[in-house]
PDB file of all heavy atoms in Angstrom:
ATOM      1  N   PHE J 408      98.542 122.567 -23.539  1.00 88.00           N
ATOM      2  CA  PHE J 408      98.307 121.122 -23.573  1.00 88.00           C
ATOM      3  C   PHE J 408      97.831 120.627 -22.203  1.00 88.00           C
ATOM      4  O   PHE J 408      96.841 119.896 -22.093  1.00 88.00           O
ATOM      5  CB  PHE J 408      99.610 120.441 -23.986  1.00 88.00           C
ATOM      6  CG  PHE J 408      99.607 118.939 -23.868  1.00 88.00           C
ATOM      7  CD1 PHE J 408      98.843 118.150 -24.711  1.00 88.00           C
ATOM      8  CD2 PHE J 408     100.393 118.308 -22.908  1.00 88.00           C
ATOM      9  CE1 PHE J 408      98.854 116.772 -24.602  1.00 88.00           C
ATOM     10  CE2 PHE J 408     100.412 116.938 -22.791  1.00 88.00           C
ATOM     11  CZ  PHE J 408      99.640 116.166 -23.643  1.00 88.00           C
ATOM     12  N   ALA J 409      98.503 121.060 -21.138  1.00 88.00           N
ATOM     13  CA  ALA J 409      98.133 120.645 -19.787  1.00 88.00           C
ATOM     14  C   ALA J 409      96.775 121.215 -19.385  1.00 88.00           C
ATOM     15  O   ALA J 409      95.927 120.503 -18.819  1.00 88.00           O
ATOM     16  CB  ALA J 409      99.209 121.080 -18.790  1.00 88.00           C
ATOM     17  N   ASP J 410      96.554 122.504 -19.683  1.00 87.00           N
ATOM     18  CA  ASP J 410      95.269 123.127 -19.327  1.00 87.00           C
ATOM     19  C   ASP J 410      94.113 122.449 -20.051  1.00 87.00           C
ATOM     20  O   ASP J 410      93.025 122.265 -19.487  1.00 87.00           O
ATOM     21  CB  ASP J 410      95.295 124.619 -19.661  1.00 87.00           C
ATOM     22  CG  ASP J 410      96.196 125.402 -18.711  1.00 87.00           C
ATOM     23  OD1 ASP J 410      96.560 124.842 -17.657  1.00 87.00           O
ATOM     24  OD2 ASP J 410      96.536 126.555 -19.013  1.00 87.00           O
ATOM     25  N   THR J 411      94.333 122.085 -21.308  1.00 88.00           N
ATOM     26  CA  THR J 411      93.274 121.425 -22.079  1.00 88.00           C
ATOM     27  C   THR J 411      92.887 120.096 -21.450  1.00 88.00           C
ATOM     28  O   THR J 411      91.711 119.792 -21.253  1.00 88.00           O
ATOM     29  CB  THR J 411      93.735 121.206 -23.527  1.00 88.00           C
ATOM     30  OG1 THR J 411      94.108 122.457 -24.109  1.00 88.00           O
ATOM     31  CG2 THR J 411      92.629 120.572 -24.350  1.00 88.00           C
ATOM     32  N   LEU J 412      93.883 119.290 -21.135  1.00 88.00           N
ATOM     33  CA  LEU J 412      93.594 117.980 -20.558  1.00 88.00           C
ATOM     34  C   LEU J 412      93.054 118.098 -19.146  1.00 88.00           C
ATOM     35  O   LEU J 412      92.274 117.260 -18.688  1.00 88.00           O
ATOM     36  CB  LEU J 412      94.861 117.115 -20.579  1.00 88.00           C
ATOM     37  CG  LEU J 412      95.253 116.653 -21.986  1.00 88.00           C
ATOM     38  CD1 LEU J 412      96.648 116.068 -21.993  1.00 88.00           C
ATOM     39  CD2 LEU J 412      94.264 115.619 -22.500  1.00 88.00           C
ATOM     40  N   GLN J 413      93.466 119.136 -18.441  1.00 87.00           N
ATOM     41  CA  GLN J 413      92.947 119.343 -17.086  1.00 87.00           C
ATOM     42  C   GLN J 413      91.448 119.634 -17.109  1.00 87.00           C
ATOM     43  O   GLN J 413      90.713 119.245 -16.202  1.00 87.00           O
ATOM     44  CB  GLN J 413      93.710 120.483 -16.413  1.00 87.00           C
ATOM     45  CG  GLN J 413      93.476 120.575 -14.905  1.00 87.00           C
ATOM     46  CD  GLN J 413      94.411 121.564 -14.250  1.00 87.00           C
ATOM     47  OE1 GLN J 413      94.835 122.522 -14.867  1.00 87.00           O
ATOM     48  NE2 GLN J 413      94.736 121.331 -12.996  1.00 87.00           N
ATOM     49  N   VAL J 414      91.000 120.311 -18.169  1.00 86.00           N
ATOM     50  CA  VAL J 414      89.566 120.584 -18.319  1.00 86.00           C
ATOM     51  C   VAL J 414      88.782 119.273 -18.380  1.00 86.00           C
ATOM     52  O   VAL J 414      87.667 119.176 -17.870  1.00 86.00           O
ATOM     53  CB  VAL J 414      89.322 121.428 -19.591  1.00 86.00           C
ATOM     54  CG1 VAL J 414      87.839 121.503 -19.906  1.00 86.00           C
ATOM     55  CG2 VAL J 414      89.884 122.818 -19.409  1.00 86.00           C
ATOM     56  N   TYR J 415      89.375 118.246 -18.978  1.00 86.00           N
ATOM     57  CA  TYR J 415      88.706 116.954 -19.099  1.00 86.00           C
ATOM     58  C   TYR J 415      88.955 116.047 -17.901  1.00 86.00           C
ATOM     59  O   TYR J 415      88.624 114.866 -17.932  1.00 86.00           O
ATOM     60  CB  TYR J 415      89.160 116.249 -20.382  1.00 86.00           C
ATOM     61  CG  TYR J 415      88.637 116.908 -21.628  1.00 86.00           C
ATOM     62  CD1 TYR J 415      89.355 117.919 -22.267  1.00 86.00           C
ATOM     63  CD2 TYR J 415      87.402 116.561 -22.167  1.00 86.00           C
ATOM     64  CE1 TYR J 415      88.876 118.546 -23.406  1.00 86.00           C
ATOM     65  CE2 TYR J 415      86.916 117.180 -23.309  1.00 86.00           C
ATOM     66  CZ  TYR J 415      87.646 118.160 -23.919  1.00 86.00           C
ATOM     67  OH  TYR J 415      87.164 118.767 -25.044  1.00 86.00           O
ATOM     68  N   GLY J 416      89.559 116.586 -16.846  1.00 87.00           N
ATOM     69  CA  GLY J 416      89.706 115.843 -15.603  1.00 87.00           C
ATOM     70  C   GLY J 416      90.964 115.025 -15.480  1.00 87.00           C
ATOM     71  O   GLY J 416      91.068 114.182 -14.577  1.00 87.00           O
ATOM     72  N   PHE J 417      91.950 115.239 -16.338  1.00 89.00           N
ATOM     73  CA  PHE J 417      93.194 114.480 -16.259  1.00 89.00           C
ATOM     74  C   PHE J 417      94.196 115.229 -15.382  1.00 89.00           C
ATOM     75  O   PHE J 417      94.372 116.440 -15.529  1.00 89.00           O
ATOM     76  CB  PHE J 417      93.788 114.261 -17.655  1.00 89.00           C
ATOM     77  CG  PHE J 417      92.940 113.412 -18.547  1.00 89.00           C
ATOM     78  CD1 PHE J 417      92.113 113.988 -19.496  1.00 89.00           C
ATOM     79  CD2 PHE J 417      92.944 112.038 -18.421  1.00 89.00           C
ATOM     80  CE1 PHE J 417      91.322 113.215 -20.315  1.00 89.00           C
ATOM     81  CE2 PHE J 417      92.164 111.248 -19.245  1.00 89.00           C
ATOM     82  CZ  PHE J 417      91.349 111.835 -20.193  1.00 89.00           C
ATOM     83  N   PRO J 418      94.876 114.533 -14.462  1.00 89.00           N
ATOM     84  CA  PRO J 418      95.876 115.196 -13.609  1.00 89.00           C
ATOM     85  C   PRO J 418      97.123 115.551 -14.418  1.00 89.00           C
ATOM     86  O   PRO J 418      97.656 114.719 -15.149  1.00 89.00           O
ATOM     87  CB  PRO J 418      96.193 114.138 -12.545  1.00 89.00           C
ATOM     88  CG  PRO J 418      95.842 112.826 -13.176  1.00 89.00           C
ATOM     89  CD  PRO J 418      94.703 113.108 -14.112  1.00 89.00           C
ATOM     90  N   VAL J 419      97.574 116.784 -14.283  1.00 87.00           N
ATOM     91  CA  VAL J 419      98.687 117.274 -15.112  1.00 87.00           C
ATOM     92  C   VAL J 419      99.812 117.860 -14.270  1.00 87.00           C
ATOM     93  O   VAL J 419     100.655 118.590 -14.803  1.00 87.00           O
ATOM     94  CB  VAL J 419      98.172 118.327 -16.125  1.00 87.00           C
ATOM     95  CG1 VAL J 419      97.236 117.698 -17.126  1.00 87.00           C
ATOM     96  CG2 VAL J 419      97.471 119.469 -15.393  1.00 87.00           C
ATOM     97  N   ASN J 420      99.840 117.552 -12.982  1.00 86.00           N
ATOM     98  CA  ASN J 420     100.889 118.128 -12.128  1.00 86.00           C
ATOM     99  C   ASN J 420     102.285 117.748 -12.611  1.00 86.00           C
ATOM    100  O   ASN J 420     103.217 118.556 -12.524  1.00 86.00           O
ATOM    101  CB  ASN J 420     100.691 117.658 -10.684  1.00 86.00           C
ATOM    102  CG  ASN J 420      99.448 118.259 -10.061  1.00 86.00           C
ATOM    103  OD1 ASN J 420      98.983 119.306 -10.492  1.00 86.00           O
ATOM    104  ND2 ASN J 420      98.889 117.602  -9.073  1.00 86.00           N
ATOM    105  N   GLN J 421     102.424 116.532 -13.118  1.00 87.00           N
ATOM    106  CA  GLN J 421     103.751 116.107 -13.578  1.00 87.00           C
ATOM    107  C   GLN J 421     104.231 116.939 -14.769  1.00 87.00           C
ATOM    108  O   GLN J 421     105.436 117.153 -14.929  1.00 87.00           O
ATOM    109  CB  GLN J 421     103.714 114.630 -13.955  1.00 87.00           C
ATOM    110  CG  GLN J 421     103.477 113.697 -12.767  1.00 87.00           C
ATOM    111  CD  GLN J 421     103.559 112.245 -13.165  1.00 87.00           C
ATOM    112  OE1 GLN J 421     104.429 111.844 -13.929  1.00 87.00           O
ATOM    113  NE2 GLN J 421     102.653 111.431 -12.645  1.00 87.00           N
ATOM    114  N   LEU J 422     103.297 117.384 -15.599  1.00 86.00           N
ATOM    115  CA  LEU J 422     103.688 118.234 -16.726  1.00 86.00           C
ATOM    116  C   LEU J 422     104.238 119.562 -16.238  1.00 86.00           C
ATOM    117  O   LEU J 422     105.241 120.068 -16.767  1.00 86.00           O
ATOM    118  CB  LEU J 422     102.487 118.468 -17.637  1.00 86.00           C
ATOM    119  CG  LEU J 422     102.037 117.269 -18.481  1.00 86.00           C
ATOM    120  CD1 LEU J 422     100.731 117.580 -19.193  1.00 86.00           C
ATOM    121  CD2 LEU J 422     103.105 116.886 -19.486  1.00 86.00           C
ATOM    122  N   PHE J 423     103.586 120.135 -15.218  1.00 85.00           N
ATOM    123  CA  PHE J 423     104.087 121.394 -14.678  1.00 85.00           C
ATOM    124  C   PHE J 423     105.417 121.190 -13.952  1.00 85.00           C
ATOM    125  O   PHE J 423     106.277 122.073 -13.968  1.00 85.00           O
ATOM    126  CB  PHE J 423     103.051 122.013 -13.746  1.00 85.00           C
ATOM    127  CG  PHE J 423     101.907 122.654 -14.476  1.00 85.00           C
ATOM    128  CD1 PHE J 423     100.694 122.009 -14.608  1.00 85.00           C
ATOM    129  CD2 PHE J 423     102.058 123.897 -15.066  1.00 85.00           C
ATOM    130  CE1 PHE J 423      99.641 122.590 -15.288  1.00 85.00           C
ATOM    131  CE2 PHE J 423     101.014 124.496 -15.754  1.00 85.00           C
ATOM    132  CZ  PHE J 423      99.802 123.840 -15.868  1.00 85.00           C
ATOM    133  N   ASP J 424     105.586 120.010 -13.317  1.00 83.00           N
ATOM    134  CA  ASP J 424     106.888 119.715 -12.715  1.00 83.00           C
ATOM    135  C   ASP J 424     107.971 119.622 -13.784  1.00 83.00           C
ATOM    136  O   ASP J 424     109.101 120.093 -13.585  1.00 83.00           O
ATOM    137  CB  ASP J 424     106.811 118.405 -11.930  1.00 83.00           C
ATOM    138  CG  ASP J 424     105.910 118.524 -10.707  1.00 83.00           C
ATOM    139  OD1 ASP J 424     105.661 119.659 -10.278  1.00 83.00           O
ATOM    140  OD2 ASP J 424     105.447 117.486 -10.201  1.00 83.00           O
ATOM    141  N   MET J 425     107.616 119.026 -14.921  1.00 83.00           N
ATOM    142  CA  MET J 425     108.593 118.917 -15.999  1.00 83.00           C
ATOM    143  C   MET J 425     108.926 120.301 -16.574  1.00 83.00           C
ATOM    144  O   MET J 425     110.048 120.546 -17.014  1.00 83.00           O
ATOM    145  CB  MET J 425     108.036 118.011 -17.091  1.00 83.00           C
ATOM    146  CG  MET J 425     109.023 117.734 -18.220  1.00 83.00           C
ATOM    147  SD  MET J 425     108.207 117.334 -19.732  1.00 83.00           S
ATOM    148  CE  MET J 425     107.255 118.797 -20.015  1.00 83.00           C
TER     149      MET J 425
END
Side-chain angles (χ1 to χ4, degrees):
F408 171 69
D410 289 345
T411 303
L412 289 168
Q413 193 171 29
V414 169
Y415 290 90
F417 295 99
V419 294
N420 291 336
Q421 293 185 42
L422 288 172
F423 284 101
D424 293 341
M425 185 205 60

